Amino acid sequence: CRAGRPNLCPGITYLTGAFAERVRVPAAITARNTHPLPPGLAPAEAAASEPLACAVHTAQGCRATGPREALILGGGVQGWFLTALLAREGNRVTLLDPHPERRERALRAGAAAAHSVPRDDEGVDELGRSAPGGAGWPLVVEAVGRPAAWVMAAALAGPGGEVVLHGGCPAGSRVELPTGRIHYSELTLRGSYHHTPDAFREAISLIAAGDIPVGRLLRAPVDLADVPELLRASRGDKHPVMPGDH
């Protein structure tokens, strides 16, 4: 906390119960992380500031070395946010995802290239050789949240590269990483977790300014009663939840 990293404070206060008609917000949150809505910003779009803030936090951590060739693993909502954020900051982004529609969405968000995911080690090696310089990417951001994707991210980083593990894996997961590659190529691996009040403010500003068009992600509004089934069947679709008549 004293180092200015509030997302890592041991006494951090979380708020659960968002899918309820009413929720009591702890004073610790209202004091530090309550933000006025900019004029004209629709509440349904403002709600996307929380997931966007997570991507903003990761992008903030990638700014220190300036624009680079960047590879993003995963084209879901977080991958789309990260593509848009890194591209607008001057990075040349390549995205990996098995779904054509997600690859197309990433290209519209500013990615310079988008490819399917390699199916085996040979495909990973071939993809690494196709990177600028032929030896992997200077920046690799994992946005899948699976141990296999963490391993692939490390395999696709070039000498001196940075690997940012943005996607959270299931509890208890473990990975095996190539010690030789990490050591002799001086790779930097770091996690990126949650968001901060500063990242939240930036996310709201980006949405309000239209720089990150979150409205493209939103599907039809739903009632509270629809939520359980949507959570069981969802493929990542984002529906505004509107209690009562909408």
Side-chain angles (χ1 to χ4, degrees), residues 19-21 221-232 240-244 246:
F19 295 129
E21 293 181 359
V222 298
D223 289 317
L224 280 175
D226 301 322
V227 170
E229 180 57 31
L230 279 174
L231 291 178
R232 281 192 293 268
V241 180
M242 310 293 287
H246 57 77

Side-chain angles (χ1 to χ4, degrees), residues 10 17 22 26 57 62 76 83 89 96 100 103 108 113 120 131 168 184 186 190 208 210 217-218:
R22 292 180 176 86
H57 176 62
C62 297
T83 296
E89 294 179 3
L96 297 184
R103 297 197 295 268
R108 294 194 298 269
D120 50 33
Y184 291 105
E186 289 194 359
R190 66 176 180 86
L217 298 175
L218 301 181

Side-chain angles (χ1 to χ4, degrees), residues 40-166:
L41 180 58
E45 294 192 5
S49 57
E50 195 281 334
L52 177 58
C54 296
V56 167
H57 176 62
T58 290
Q60 289 175 336
C62 297
R63 291 173 182 168
T65 57
R68 291 171 281 179
E69 294 280 349
L71 179 70
I72 297 177
L73 276 63
V77 171
Q78 287 296 314
W80 183 74
F81 283 154
L82 288 163
T83 296
L85 290 167
L86 293 179
R88 72 187 299 274
E89 294 179 3
N91 299 278
R92 187 180 185 277
V93 177
T94 297
L95 178 118
L96 297 184
D97 193 276
H99 304 286
E101 66 276 11
R102 290 183 174 183
R103 297 197 295 268
E104 293 171 6
R105 184 173 67 182
L107 293 172
R108 294 194 298 269
H115 306 294
S116 190
V117 179
R119 295 182 177 274
D120 50 33
D121 291 344
E122 183 179 347
V124 171
D125 291 341
E126 182 179 350
L127 183 62
R129 290 191 296 270
S130 73
W137 273 263
L139 173 63
V140 181
V141 182
E142 187 279 339
V144 179
R146 296 178 183 173
W150 283 34
V151 174
M152 184 181 295
L156 289 169
E162 179 182 12
V163 179
V164 183
L165 304 169
H166 176 89

